[in-house]
Every structure is written in C-alpha cells, then in structure tokens.
Amino acid sequence: MDIPDNPPAVSEVQERQQQMRAAVVAAVKAAQEADPTYLKRPLMELNKEAVGLQKAGNLLGAVAAFGKLFERARVCNLYHTELHVCHTNRAAALLALELWDEALWDAQRASQLALDAMKRDPRMMAGYTKSLLRKAAALIGLTRYREATLTLDEGLRLDPLNSSMQQLHAEASRGVLGDLLEGKGMEMRALPAPEASQRITSHPFAAPLHRIRTDNMLPTKLLTPFQAESDHNVKDTYNYMTIQTDIRMPRRHFTFLEDSELHRVFQAAISQAVAQITADEDIDCRVLNLGAGAGLHAMMALRAGAHHVTAAERWLYLSLACKEALVANKFPADRHKVVYKRPTDLALIQDVPIVCNLLICNIFDEGLLTCGLIPAVRHSLDNLLTPNAIILPASATVFMQAAEVRTKDVCGLDMSAADLHRWHPVYLSGAPLADDLFRPLSGPLEVWHFDFGNPPQESARRTLDVEFTQMGRFNAVVFWFELHLGFGITVSTKPGCGLKSMGPAVQYLAGQLSVEAGMLLPVLATHNTVRMHFDIEEAEYMHLTKTDAAFPADQFSMLADVARNEAYNRAICRVVKAKKAETKEAHVLDVGSGTGLFAMMAAKAGADSVVANDLSEVLCTTARRAVAANDLGGRVSVVHRDAGLLERGHEMRRLGANVVVADFFDSGLFGNNFTYILELLKKRVLQPNTTVIPNAATMYCMGLEMATGSVCGFDFSSFDQFRWDKGYEACYLDDLPHKVLTKPAQAFEYFFEGMRKGQQRDHLLKLEVTSAGTLNALAIWFDLHLDEEESITTGKFCCMTESLLAPTSGN
C-alpha cells in the first residue's frame, strides 16, 4: 500500500485516544503479568476486584481487571448468567476514558447477553436497559446520533421513567438536528428502478402467481380478478374486501350526486355527443355506460335522445340502485339494460346487445387510473364499440407539483416528529391539503397525456426536471388531472377546482429533501396503467419516512386543529398553576396522549412530573422523540401500556397523579370508553380530588331531513334508502345538504370529576318540531368543558363544526 509523503495531521482528540488505548493495553498486560494465577481464580473474585477498582476511581485498573475476567472466561470456556453486567461495567469505564469504539463493543456484547438472559428471566430487564444506555452513550460519543436515538427508543420503551435515558435522548436529538444544519447525517434509500416496459394487461388464466408488492415501487405484475378469486393465498381477503366495498359504495356515491359542477360539464358533453351521432337520421345512438353508479349519466343520455343505454356497474348495490332510478324516472324497459359485472368481463350480445357508438366512462377517482379506467376502455374498444365511437372523456392530462406537507409548531412546541410518519402506500386526497398544510415548492408540470381512443397497454416512465421556486422541505408530490370531454369541454381536479366529489391527490416521498429556490431536481414519474407513482431515484434525505401503517393518520388533523390545541393549552396552564398553589405539586397523567402534545403542554406549564400514556406503540415512540426534540425529557415520561393497567410504583410515581388530561373522545363522545378508563384510573393511580381536563361534557342533538331528491331533473329519492347506518359517522354538517326540522335540545350532561356523574341511563328526549319534513337523521354534537373558564364544542354553530350524523331507518 502506498503511504503518502505528508499524511494528514492527527487531531488532538484522536491523539489522546491513541495514547489512552496504548495505556489500556499496557495496563491489561501489566495486570496479567502481576497476577499469574488469574486463570485459576473464580470469576466472582475477579469481578469483585474490578468493581472495587472502578468505585475507587482507578478506571485503567478496572479495565485491566475486567480484561483478566474475560480472558479467564474465554480460555476456560466459562459462562455466568450475569456476565453481561461485567461488560456493562467495563463499558462505563471505557466511556469515562472516552474510548468510544471499545465502549460500544462492550455495550453491544452486554446487550446480546442481557437480551438472552431476559428471555429466560424477565426480571433481568434492568440489565438489558442499562446496556442500551451504555450503547447509546458510546454512539453519541462517536457522533452516530441517529443510531443512538433508535437505541434509546428501545430503552425507553422498556423503562419509560429512566431519567438518564431521557437526557441522552434529548442530547441525541440535538445532535441529529445539528448534523442536518451542517449538511451531515443524511439518509439514503436504495431503490432499483422498475422495468421500463412490462406488459400487464390480458394475462392468461394459466399464468403463474403474480407478486403483490407493498413497498414504494409500482408492481409490474398484477393479479387479474380471476386469479385473485382463485389463489388460496389472497382469495379470502379479496372476497371480504369485495363485500365490504359493495356495502360502502352507495354511501360514497352520495358525494358524487351532490357535485353539481361535474354534472353540468358531463351533461353538456353527453348532449353534444348524442346530437352529433343522431345528426345522421340512419344512425341510432347506442350508449355503453361504464361505472354507471346510480344511473345519472345513463339517464342524461336517454333524455338527450339515445336509442339504448347499457349501464354496467361493478358494485352490487349501485347496480340495483341504477335499475331502481331508471324505473322510477319512467324510462321504457326496452331502452336500457343494467348489467352487474366488471367492465373487463362484459361480453357482446350476452351483456351488451349490440356494438355501441358512444362510451361514457365514469371509472376514475383522484388518482385517475386507480379504478381501472384504462383496462376498461381498452376492453370496450376491442370488443364492444364501433371503430368511430365517441369516448367520454376523450383524454386526460396529468399535472404534478412539488410540495411541502408538514406539521407546524403547536403552541410553541416542535411536533415535527410526527412528520416522519407521513406515508401512505398509494396516495391521499382531501385532508393533507386542508388548513394551509400544503405549501407548493414548484410550478405545475405536465406529466402524462392519456388518449382514451388509444390507451396505453404497457407501463411507462419519464424523468421530469423540477425547478423549485422557494426554499423548503420537499416531501410530497401533489398531482391532479384535466379531463377533456370533447367539444371544447374540460374539467379539472386541480387545487381549488370547485368539484365536490374530487380534488388533487398527494403522494408522499420516501423522506424529506432540503431544497432551495432555483434548484433543479429530477423526479421519476411512472405508471403501470392502473396507478401512477412519483419518486426520486437517488437522493440524500434529511429523514427517511417510517413506513408504518399502524400510525393513526388522524393525528395530523389533531395537530392542525389550532382552536382545540390552544384551548387545551390555556386550560392546562390554569389547572397546573391552581394545583401547585393548592397542593404545592402538580403531577399530570395524559391519557391517550397520542404524539404527547398535551403532556408537553403540562410540562411547559410547570408540572413537577408528567406521564404520557398511550396504547399505540408507534405513537409512544413518536411522543418520546417529540419530548426529546423539545428538551422536556426531564419531566415527561412516555409509557406504552393499557391505561387501565397502570400501577403506582411502576409506570406511575408511588403517590400517583393529581391531574388528568384526556383527549380520549371520538365524535360520539363515549365511543372510546373514556368513562370506564377514568374509573379504573381513579382506583389505581389517581389521588383523591384529582382534577380532570375536561371536567364535564354536554351532549346535544337535533332532528334533520337528509334527502337526495332531484339531481339534474331526475328523481333519486329511491337512493335515500342507502343513507341508513347502525352507527354514526363524523362529518361537517355544513357540507351536507340538509333541512333542520327541530330545535337543538340538550340530551344529557356528564361530569368527569367529583361525585356528580350525570345521566347514564336511557331516557326519553323530546324535540320541538319547527319545520315540516321527513325526519330520517339526527345531528349530535357535544361541548367539552375543559375547566370553569373555557369550553370547546363540535357543534355546527361554533368554530369547530365537526358534527355527527346518525341516520335512522325510520321516517
């Protein structure tokens, strides 16, 4: 090996470490020479000698003594159940000597031995957590902060009250942030590019089983429906999902029926298409309507003068609703036929009486291709349409835009730890773009243009050079499409498009990329005819996203709810201040803590100790990282356990907590059994006269009429039968067409603290009718009284308008 003439200078730290390593080697050699009988001495005696030297502050002597112990065990092939303790102690001595590599080796060895011992005897957990503490300290010394954070996550999961780990976790988090600010510590993901061209349609039935991918790559091999129904590995799941979708599709279709703007453009295009075909008196307009839904487009075509419509619908209850709507609107039976079948399974004569010259295809959602639009159109062109048939829509153009979708600081707290879980296997729509969470980082770029007269049969890919217009963290692609219906009529799903049933879609990247204005970055766009995907082939990410489907996506909406969070923050500050004035101490338990937001609010308000408890392990890990990022590890401990099983002296301090903070409520108030959990906590870990935030709740209800009625002049009242549901669902009442029939009435009041409980049994509620109509739904909402000064509400007349719709089956 060639040695450079002028080798780089060794830093003072490296030189000191080399000198210390030489001193350790010399000390070990001297100790073995001074004690020639050490190979015959018992391990316990050697350990006692080493521990004594370590306690006396003779670190070199302790390391040398532990060296004799381990040499004795190796040469004589000896083992002891607590050998991991010796490695942990030597790691502590090496850490004090700043020999990070040697300390890391001992800590890793201690972890392996302690984990084996813990599997045999769970009481050995303390030794395992201590070895993780030593390992994390060594990793921090080596400036490997990300690995240290992961190690401490594991340790705090086992011992959430360990203050030493909490302090190291905060130090490691600061180290990660410092590295990112210096452009160091980036993460990379190895992702092989998909095949450039892979035919995925028209697989023969005898083809071998196809892979189902769950990673970020588009699958280049797909299961055909026949294979999904026949493959013993997936057929039960496929059939279950089919049944569940059959049940849910009619309720989803109500949003489509309420989209007046989409109906306007489709009605104009259908009318012109029918008129163009029937301009020749010798030609009848025969329509094939794919994705007929409740039959709206089919009836538009018949009203425009179509001779016959074949309405094909994949989902059972929608096909039944389509038939009922056609009959209710008195269209002759010989002019329409409803077929319950997949679009790619339709056969001429058997399902479609004659080849059609107009195709109306309504098989698309926010992802354009995801519902199978291209395979359905391709099958129709090949088997069911005339060569000169008109296709609606005629084409579609897809656009994309680089974006930053992040959680902002909440009441002065850094909650960016939650952004590591912004992941979804496909795409999302609606929620990620709400509340100003979406920030565009580039201008729109055209990605694909699909001509449905000649749809693609193969997957494709292209690279787009995205120029960023402002600085930020690039972690998402927002994409939308523009449908060209022909005759100069278009409709778009771009942000702010005004459509009620569709909007732009968001696809998260594998991580966060730091970008600046003027920067160019190649983005890979791929599609396999049934799904689009955007990716970065090679990049250094600030953070890689955690692909964990167990993370509840509703946490992002909670963090973005400014009114709720600020109200809780004010109430927590008042209660903690009052409790400290009353008892001189405030010890808080945050039940159902989620990302740990309210627990950190309590710590900032001055609480002496805070325990954040949640049943979700991934949420607890996120909460620990958020606590460390805000440097509150000294006061906040995160416990992953069922709240009803918490114990004093284990997860909680021996004297228990005197303040409870809870956001344990669903939209129906009691759906998560908070009252039952609270009673268990009062028996097990709460002090008498504990203050509960919120301290009470009041439930209200109101009678409504929710009816579809007329859509574009067609009677759809028969479709209202699908509004019934045995439970309730959260919704924004102002976004739904409804008529108020009664005055609001208080249903009951419940007190969470003190001796008063409120009404717990069923009782008769009288509603005063104010308008005539058909009562088929109840809107219910509640007020949470956080303390004596402030309340928040889910009522329609307040700033938080998330009300509940609980439809009933009667009139």
Side-chain angles (χ1 to χ4, degrees):
M1 180 176 64
D2 295 333
I3 301 177
D5 296 333
N6 297 312
V10 179
S11 69
E12 292 182 5
V13 174
Q14 291 174 328
E15 184 176 354
R16 188 168 62 249
Q17 286 183 338
Q18 290 176 1
Q19 293 173 354
M20 188 58 67
R21 288 191 182 96
V24 168
V25 172
V28 172
K29 184 176 180 181
Q32 292 177 354
E33 290 176 353
D35 185 10
T37 63
Y38 76 92
L39 292 177
K40 297 180 181 180
R41 294 171 61 187
L43 293 179
M44 294 296 290
E45 184 179 331
L46 292 171
N47 181 63
K48 184 177 181 181
E49 176 189 347
V51 171
L53 291 169
Q54 190 168 3
K55 289 182 177 179
N58 186 355
L59 299 178
L60 278 177
V63 172
F66 279 122
K68 292 192 297 181
L69 185 151
F70 295 132
E71 182 66 12
R72 165 90 161 99
R74 184 188 67 81
V75 172
C76 301
N77 197 24
L78 299 178
Y79 178 75
H80 194 278
T81 55
E82 296 187 0
L83 197 60
H84 64 276
V85 178
C86 301
H87 282 286
T88 301
N89 289 335
R90 188 168 75 167
L94 292 168
L95 286 171
L97 296 172
E98 297 186 0
L99 296 177
W100 314 119
D101 290 301
E102 291 78 1
L104 179 59
W105 185 92
D106 267 305
Q108 289 175 330
R109 180 61 178 159
S111 298
Q112 294 171 358
L113 295 173
L115 184 59
D116 293 338
M118 189 174 68
K119 290 177 180 178
R120 294 190 297 268
D121 184 357
R123 293 175 298 179
M124 305 298 289
M125 185 182 71
Y128 179 60
T129 55
K130 186 172 289 187
S131 69
L132 293 177
L133 180 65
R134 301 285 186 262
K135 180 180 177 181
L139 289 168
I140 290 175
L142 293 169
T143 67
R144 292 158 60 176
Y145 298 114
R146 288 188 187 273
E147 295 174 69
T149 301
L150 295 175
T151 301
L152 290 166
D153 284 341
E154 172 67 12
L156 287 171
R157 184 181 67 82
L158 298 172
D159 187 5
L161 304 183
N162 192 312
S163 58
S164 298
M165 282 195 175
Q166 291 170 345
Q167 293 172 4
L168 278 183
H169 202 293
E171 183 179 348
S173 297
R174 289 194 296 270
V176 171
L177 180 59
D179 278 352
L180 292 175
L181 292 175
E182 295 177 9
K184 300 186 298 184
M186 300 294 187
E187 296 182 285
M188 294 192 68
R189 175 178 61 98
L191 178 63
E195 298 176 27
S197 179
Q198 171 67 49
R199 188 180 181 86
I200 60 173
T201 55
S202 304
H203 287 300
F205 292 158
L209 294 181
H210 293 71
R211 294 171 296 173
I212 299 177
R213 305 287 304 248
T214 57
D215 56 15
N216 290 329
M217 290 179 57
L218 283 179
T220 55
K221 297 182 179 180
L222 302 180
L223 281 168
T224 63
F226 176 86
Q227 291 165 329
E229 291 174 340
S230 304
D231 187 346
H232 68 279
N233 291 309
V234 299
K235 66 178 181 180
D236 290 339
T237 302
Y238 179 82
N239 291 332
Y240 172 79
M241 295 303 296
T242 299
I243 293 171
Q244 293 300 316
T245 308
D246 266 332
I247 296 171
R248 286 167 171 75
M249 282 303 290
R251 292 185 62 80
R252 178 187 173 112
H253 202 64
F254 281 110
T255 306
F256 167 77
L257 291 177
E258 295 159 6
D259 196 338
S260 57
E261 176 61 20
L262 187 65
H263 301 335
R264 182 187 66 80
V265 294
F266 262 91
Q267 181 164 295
I270 290 171
S271 298
Q272 293 200 39
V274 173
Q276 179 175 316
I277 293 172
T278 56
D280 187 340
E281 297 180 357
D282 297 330
I283 300 178
D284 294 328
C285 181
R286 299 181 179 271
V287 181
L288 174 60
N289 182 197
L290 301 181
L296 178 61
H297 290 169
M299 290 189 285
M300 286 180 177
L302 289 171
R303 184 171 62 185
H307 181 74
H308 186 273
V309 174
T310 301
E313 177 52 55
R314 160 72 180 96
W315 305 109
L316 175 62
Y317 293 111
L318 278 181
S319 64
L320 295 175
C322 180
K323 183 66 177 178
E324 290 180 3
L326 286 164
V327 172
N329 285 276
K330 300 180 180 180
F331 286 102
D334 60 347
R335 295 187 60 195
H336 60 80
K337 179 179 182 180
V338 179
V339 181
Y340 165 51
K341 223 172 190 181
R342 297 188 192 90
T344 52
D345 291 343
L346 294 174
L348 193 62
I349 300 177
Q350 178 182 348
D351 302 311
V352 182
I354 192 171
V355 290
C356 300
N357 48 20
L358 174 58
L359 173 65
I360 304 173
C361 195
N362 189 27
I363 309 178
F364 49 83
D365 58 6
E366 289 89 345
L368 182 61
L369 309 181
T370 321
C371 293
L373 174 62
I374 288 179
V377 172
R378 168 56 61 187
H379 177 77
S380 300
L381 287 170
D382 292 343
N383 302 283
L384 308 173
L385 300 179
T386 61
N388 59 346
I390 297 176
I391 300 174
L392 299 181
S395 63
T397 305
V398 180
F399 300 88
M400 65 83 67
Q401 189 172 28
E404 175 186 88
V405 183
R406 292 179 60 199
T407 300
K408 300 178 181 178
D409 286 359
V410 181
C411 299
L413 294 168
D414 178 9
M415 300 304 298
S416 59
D419 287 328
L420 297 180
H421 294 275
R422 287 195 182 275
W423 169 84
H424 198 270
V426 282
Y427 64 86
L428 294 170
S429 60
L433 302 186
D435 301 324
D436 300 324
L437 295 181
F438 155 63
R439 189 165 73 96
L441 299 178
S442 73
L445 288 176
E446 182 177 327
V447 186
W448 305 107
H449 181 78
F450 297 103
D451 179 6
F452 297 126
N454 184 27
Q457 300 185 60
E458 299 176 340
S459 60
R461 57 182 291 177
R462 61 175 301 195
T463 301
L464 304 168
D465 289 328
V466 177
E467 181 177 359
F468 293 90
T469 56
Q470 57 182 319
M471 183 177 66
R473 294 188 180 183
F474 177 30
N475 70 332
V477 169
V478 177
F479 66 98
W480 63 91
F481 57 88
E482 184 176 280
L483 286 179
H484 308 282
L485 302 179
F487 314 102
I489 301 172
T490 62
V491 62
S492 175
T493 63
K494 65 182 180 181
C497 61
L499 296 182
K500 189 170 184 178
S501 60
M502 288 189 298
V506 175
Q507 186 220 294
Y508 291 122
L509 299 179
Q512 301 175 8
L513 288 167
S514 178
V515 296
E516 297 180 357
M519 177 179 173
L520 280 175
L521 184 69
V523 174
L524 177 66
T526 58
H527 80 80
N528 62 358
T529 76
V530 292
R531 181 181 147 202
M532 290 178 284
H533 185 70
F534 301 90
D535 205 354
I536 310 296
E537 286 192 282
E538 295 183 5
E540 290 186 344
Y541 294 95
M542 300 179 66
H543 300 285
L544 284 175
T545 304
K546 311 296 181 184
T547 55
D548 191 344
F551 187 88
D554 60 356
Q555 292 294 318
F556 296 117
S557 299
M558 293 181 182
L559 292 173
D561 195 335
V562 177
R564 160 188 167 273
N565 295 334
E566 290 182 348
Y568 260 96
N569 189 36
R570 291 189 293 267
I572 289 170
C573 290
R574 288 192 294 266
V575 168
V576 169
K577 183 178 179 180
K579 187 61 71 172
K580 295 193 77 169
E582 176 187 349
T583 64
K584 297 184 179 180
E585 290 184 340
H587 300 281
V588 180
L589 171 61
D590 181 6
V591 188
S593 60
T595 55
L597 176 62
F598 294 162
M600 290 186 287
M601 288 178 178
K604 284 189 65 177
D608 296 277
S609 69
V610 183
V611 173
N613 165 252
D614 203 281
L615 190 59
S616 168
E617 184 174 356
V618 65
L619 280 178
C620 287
T621 300
T622 303
R624 290 188 194 102
R625 293 179 175 176
V627 168
N630 290 279
D631 202 14
L632 294 172
R635 294 191 193 179
V636 181
S637 300
V638 182
V639 176
H640 169 227
R641 197 173 190 190
D642 188 334
L645 301 178
L646 294 176
E647 297 180 16
R648 298 190 186 198
H650 290 83
E651 297 86 7
M652 299 289 300
R653 61 191 292 269
R654 292 190 179 278
L655 295 179
N658 56 10
V659 177
V660 171
V661 181
D663 184 24
F664 213 77
F665 311 101
D666 71 341
S667 298
L669 185 60
F670 294 125
N672 292 329
N673 294 322
F674 172 65
T675 54
Y676 171 72
I677 295 294
L678 183 60
E679 291 304 314
L680 289 178
L681 291 173
K682 289 179 178 179
K683 295 177 183 178
R684 300 173 70 94
V685 299
L686 299 183
Q687 298 178 6
N689 301 320
T690 292
T691 302
V692 182
I693 306 173
N695 59 23
T698 306
M699 177 73 78
Y700 303 89
C701 74
M702 180 172 62
L704 302 175
E705 176 185 271
M706 302 201 64
T708 302
S710 175
V711 179
C712 298
F714 300 110
D715 179 15
F716 276 93
S717 58
S718 62
F719 199 63
D720 284 328
Q721 64 184 302
F722 296 105
R723 290 190 182 276
W724 181 88
D725 197 343
K726 64 180 180 181
Y728 53 80
E729 65 176 9
C731 65
Y732 290 96
L733 193 57
D734 291 340
D735 292 344
L736 300 176
H738 66 279
K739 179 181 179 181
V740 177
L741 300 182
T742 72
K743 289 184 177 180
Q746 179 177 317
F748 61 82
E749 190 171 20
Y750 195 94
F751 301 93
F752 299 122
E753 66 178 52
M755 299 303 295
R756 296 182 301 169
K757 299 298 180 186
Q759 300 168 341
Q760 300 186 60
R761 295 179 296 179
D762 295 340
H763 64 284
L764 184 64
L765 181 67
K766 295 182 179 180
L767 297 176
E768 182 181 345
V769 177
T770 58
S771 301
T774 301
L775 179 65
N776 68 341
L778 289 176
I780 59 176
W781 67 95
F782 57 87
D783 294 344
L784 282 180
H785 309 294
L786 302 180
D787 60 359
E788 298 298 330
E789 297 186 24
E790 191 161 9
S791 299
I792 58 176
T793 182
T794 61
K796 64 170 287 188
F797 301 110
C798 301
C799 58
M800 296 175 63
T801 59
E802 186 178 12
S803 302
L804 286 175
L805 177 66
T808 61
S809 56
N811 292 333

